[in-house]
Amino acid sequence: MIVDMENTTAARIEKKLNQLRDENGVVTLGRVLTLVILARAGHSEMAVEAANYASHEHPCRIIVHVAHSATDETRLDAQLRMGGDAGASEVILLHGYGDLAEPKETLVSALLLPDAPIVAWWPHDFPENPSGSSIGRIAHRRITDSARADDPFASLAQLSRQYTPGDTDLAWTRVTNWRVQLAAVLDQVGPVAVREIVLEGAAVAPSMLLLGVWLSSKLDAPATIVGDESRRALDRVALVTDDGVVELDRPGRTVAVLTQPGQPEQQIAMPVRDLNACLAEELRRLDADEVYGEVITSGLASARITTRSADGTEVTTSLDEALSAAGDRAQDSPAVPDEEPGAMRRAQPGCVVGSGAGEDGA
């Protein structure tokens, strides 16, 4: 069911929702959270599709604010989607023009589910300080996506400066499977010194940087990130140890090959993660992701990272600026504790990986 409402108000939308609820049953039964999506005009459907997919695992009310031109006459158009048009949720699209092009708490407060956690998601660019924005202040979790921002590495530096517990980034979520597999490999290998870490992909991307920072800080080894146009995405990680090279290589998009010294090759199912899977993973937890917090703050500031293209050419300076900005932040702010539960420890028995939650094609 789809209901369009032109030039309306939040109060009228809530009244219409109550009417539809009376006519069609208690559609909010079992909703576990409110997901507020702050989208650009022309890009909202992709976010709604991902949210609908995630709602089958996390039934929720989805409120989508679509920002149109701030110079237009102020008005609010809405579209309500329920039943088969809304997955296992109910979707409220708010098209804001003029003064309503800027999403504010007062615009969505009447539409929030009572006594339910609030998750805010910016699918593209996000405010300078997500946790300090009008919607961010009322959200329990704040999800950004630096990989889709206009300047990904500048966005990472910004997230590092403004990090608040409850923040997370889908560039981090995209490498969850890589972190799980690498941690499991190091458990099998046992205590061994890692001398160098090499990550390869189609281009140096935020997910590769965050994975490199995590590995470098946990294994106390320098990491080199190589952008190679002959590759698809992030598809190879090599750990150079005293006993040889431990390599996880994904030549396609579904299966990775694990190579270890003295062991036969193993094939591991590791498909490229899409936006749907990443958002669903992030909605599984409403507490702070301490491991991501450590990586984006103290890890980003102290990790030994080198980036280059496959032919050895230096890469964009915006990455250097991101690392420098993170270092400045680390000097001004206390670091996240180094030994939070779930953080992968130095390569020794029992090392585990924390839950985080991808594109960059990771």
Side-chain angles (χ1 to χ4, degrees):
M1 176 190 300
I2 297 179
V3 178
D4 292 313
M5 303 176 67
E6 295 185 359
N7 198 14
T8 187
T9 65
R12 292 174 188 166
I13 295 171
E14 176 64 17
K15 183 177 180 180
K16 187 65 175 179
L17 284 172
N18 290 334
Q19 176 187 336
L20 294 173
R21 187 176 303 122
D22 292 339
E23 294 174 355
N24 300 285
V26 185
V27 296
T28 57
L29 185 64
R31 301 292 188 255
V32 297
L33 58 88
T34 301
L35 175 62
V36 183
I37 303 174
L38 298 313
R40 295 176 180 172
H43 298 275
S44 58
E45 285 303 321
M46 176 193 66
V48 172
E49 180 183 346
N52 282 341
Y53 176 90
S55 73
H56 290 284
E57 183 175 339
H58 317 280
C60 58
R61 172 175 287 182
I62 301 169
I63 302 174
V64 187
H65 180 276
V66 183
H68 292 268
S69 175
T71 60
D72 289 345
E73 181 181 354
T74 298
R75 80 175 192 274
L76 180 68
D77 295 340
Q79 184 180 86
L80 311 182
R81 301 180 185 179
M82 296 182 178
D85 296 296
S89 63
E90 52 190 2
V91 180
I92 306 169
L93 285 98
L94 305 175
H95 293 267
Y97 301 81
D99 293 342
L100 297 179
E102 178 69 22
K104 292 183 173 62
E105 175 190 355
T106 53
L107 181 61
V108 303
S109 58
L111 305 174
L112 301 173
L113 291 176
D115 303 320
I118 302 167
V119 178
W121 174 31
W122 291 266
H124 302 96
D125 279 328
F126 42 87
E128 181 176 350
N129 183 2
S131 63
S133 65
S134 181
I135 300 297
R137 284 194 296 268
I138 64 173
H140 297 78
R141 290 293 305 278
R142 294 163 295 276
I143 304 172
T144 54
D145 195 347
S146 58
R148 294 182 180 274
D150 292 335
D151 190 334
F153 296 116
S155 296
L156 276 183
Q158 178 181 325
L159 291 172
S160 177
R161 288 192 298 268
Q162 304 293 347
Y163 173 77
T164 301
D167 293 351
T168 194
D169 192 78
L170 292 185
W172 172 248
T173 317
R174 292 185 177 104
V175 294
T176 297
N177 289 345
W178 287 91
R179 294 187 291 120
V180 168
Q181 296 298 339
L182 290 168
V185 168
L186 291 172
D187 274 348
Q188 295 175 0
V189 171
V192 63
V194 177
R195 294 189 283 107
E196 184 183 6
I197 303 158
V198 179
L199 302 91
E200 294 183 6
V204 179
S207 289
M208 294 176 69
L209 175 61
L210 293 175
L211 180 60
V213 167
W214 179 70
L215 288 169
S216 178
S217 60
K218 293 305 175 185
L219 300 177
D220 191 24
T224 300
I225 302 176
V226 182
D228 185 347
E229 293 183 358
S230 67
R231 292 186 171 270
R232 295 173 178 268
L234 168 59
D235 56 13
R236 179 178 180 267
V237 176
L239 308 178
V240 182
T241 73
D242 292 336
D243 298 330
V245 178
V246 177
E247 179 182 88
L248 189 60
D249 187 12
R250 185 177 59 192
R253 296 181 63 84
T254 57
V255 177
V257 178
L258 172 63
T259 305
Q260 304 178 67
Q263 298 287 335
E265 289 186 351
Q266 300 179 46
Q267 291 191 340
I268 300 172
M270 200 166 71
V272 173
R273 310 193 74 203
D274 61 15
L275 182 62
N276 298 351
C278 292
L279 181 62
E281 178 178 331
E282 280 303 333
L283 296 182
R284 288 179 198 138
R285 60 180 304 164
L286 294 175
D287 58 326
D289 187 340
E290 296 91 350
V291 181
Y292 166 75
E294 178 185 347
V295 168
I296 199 67
T297 54
S298 59
L300 197 62
S302 61
R304 293 171 285 167
I305 302 291
T306 302
T307 60
R308 61 176 175 83
S309 61
D311 60 6
T313 307
E314 293 292 330
V315 298
T316 175
T317 59
S318 63
L319 175 54
D320 298 327
E321 293 170 359
L323 296 173
S324 175
D328 294 341
R329 182 206 186 280
Q331 294 176 1
D332 298 335
S333 307
V336 176
D338 185 56
E339 284 297 329
E340 294 290 351
M344 187 181 78
R345 295 163 179 82
R346 201 174 190 282
Q348 51 187 314
C351 71
V352 297
V353 63
S355 172
E359 211 166 315
D360 289 313

